Amino acid sequence: MPEILEVEMFRRSASLVIGRTVKSVTATDRIVVPEPAAVRMLVGRRITDVTRRGKMMTIHAGPARDPLAIDVHFGMSGRIIVDGSSPIDELAYGASDDTKWIRFALRFASGEMLLSDPRRFARVQPSSAWAGLGPDAFEVGKREFIDRVGARRAPLKAVLLDQSVLAGLGNMLVDEILLRAGLDPRRLVNTVSPTELGNVHAVMRRVLPELARKGGSHAGRLSAELRFAGAACPVDAHPMDRCVVGGRTTIFCPRHQH
DNA sequence: GATGCTGTTCTGGG
DNA sequence: GCCCAGAACAGCAT
């Protein structure tokens, strides 16, 4: 479920523990935390920062002469709970407050940070320094965006979903951006002009802060209730089509997306 | 009971 | 090497 907007909310929550010293680490789930010994090295260290690139959140801990960084990826159903509250109460595709979904926990002298993940697609592991991730969707400039996306040949949507090209966009956000940009998600990206790609970049830079304000990836014009074939396009009311692009269910308007 | 899913990774094949 | 489809991961909602 979490795309870049949700992960940014998680990062803000997690940053509440900056300055605290880790008292204990609970990491019993070998799927979510495949290297528990490495993650337990956090014990006794002070949290110095919590950063994010795309959908990856990184927890940084001291000391300065021997720092440790741990990557947290939330998968489909992961979310964070800090000192008893989460920025997102209700996740699509399963997440209750049931404590049996807690896969990872940091406890401090005061308070705690929990990772809840029913489906266990989340991962907590020593940081790989964001190797393999493209530039963050919030930060990437127009020139770099056009160069990176335009260098590929796959369908436009598949390229925008590729985290090594651009980090952060998921299925919902890509459909929303292409709906607003008026581009067909199936179009091979090498047939999309630099001007059109520049427009995609402009739409993305506008949509991300807007949806962040409205509460997340689900808050766009292409809301969950419209994600079926035949729904009225929010732009021109023409019945929308459904197909699969890049392995993901895709909703688009055949009239205004070309 | 069957299907699908706001994500990623791997495999086999063109 | 690039790209794709499909499967796998696992639980829940419809």
Side-chain angles (χ1 to χ4, degrees):
Chain A
M1 154 293 158
E3 299 189 35
I4 189 169
L5 303 177
E6 288 73 25
V7 178
E8 175 58 17
M9 292 185 235
F10 295 154
R11 188 200 62 76
R12 276 189 215 146
S13 282
S15 65
L16 291 174
V17 308
I18 292 172
R20 300 188 199 174
T21 299
V22 179
K23 273 277 190 295
S24 71
V25 173
T26 305
T28 50
D29 190 299
R30 281 302 189 108
I31 294 177
V32 174
V33 191
E35 300 171 64
V39 172
R40 285 203 194 91
M41 297 285 286
L42 282 170
V43 173
R45 293 170 184 261
R46 183 186 300 269
I47 305 298
T48 54
D49 203 1
V50 183
T51 56
R52 180 193 59 73
R53 177 137 156 195
K55 304 171 193 170
M56 186 75 81
M57 184 178 93
T58 303
I59 300 170
H60 302 264
R65 59 180 158 71
D66 176 32
L68 176 64
I70 300 295
D71 282 343
V72 179
H73 193 289
F74 294 92
M76 292 272 274
S77 62
R79 69 178 175 137
I80 204 157
I81 302 163
V82 177
D83 298 344
S85 70
S86 173
I88 296 178
D89 291 328
E90 201 147 319
L91 282 191
Y93 312 116
S96 67
D97 281 334
D98 199 317
T99 53
K100 75 181 175 194
W101 307 135
I102 304 299
R103 310 296 186 187
F104 169 72
L106 296 182
R107 322 239 184 227
F108 307 94
S110 167
E112 60 188 6
M113 174 192 299
L114 311 176
L115 172 68
S116 168
D117 179 30
R119 296 175 66 179
R120 302 208 282 177
F121 287 175
R123 292 293 178 272
V124 178
Q125 48 202 340
S127 181
S128 56
W130 296 334
L133 283 184
D136 185 79
F138 267 107
E139 319 246 308
V140 65
K142 175 168 285 194
R143 184 77 256 153
E144 188 181 14
F145 179 91
I146 294 172
D147 287 347
R148 294 184 70 89
V149 175
R152 305 294 292 272
R153 273 169 232 335
L156 178 56
K157 172 165 175 172
V159 175
L160 293 175
L161 283 174
D162 187 333
Q163 303 298 298
S164 69
V165 173
L166 179 70
L169 302 185
N171 202 30
M172 305 290 282
L173 287 175
V174 170
D175 278 4
E176 177 76 18
I177 289 165
L178 294 181
L179 174 89
R180 298 198 196 193
L183 289 173
D184 188 326
R186 301 167 298 181
R187 245 177 90 186
L188 296 185
V189 80
N190 50 304
T191 73
V192 180
S193 73
T195 303
E196 289 173 310
L197 288 180
N199 185 44
V200 173
H201 176 263
V203 169
M204 178 181 80
R205 295 296 297 259
R206 205 159 55 234
V207 164
L208 294 180
E210 178 192 326
L211 297 199
R213 237 180 7 256
K214 292 181 177 170
S217 310
H218 59 279
R221 302 180 69 179
L222 193 49
S223 60
E225 307 81 69
L226 295 180
R227 293 191 65 81
F228 64 91
C233 170
V235 172
D236 63 13
H238 191 271
M240 286 187 293
D241 272 356
R242 171 188 163 121
C243 64
V244 174
V245 183
R248 314 303 306 278
T249 295
T250 299
I251 304 291
F252 69 102
C253 172
R255 179 188 276 175
H256 87 272
Q257 290 181 256
H258 301 289

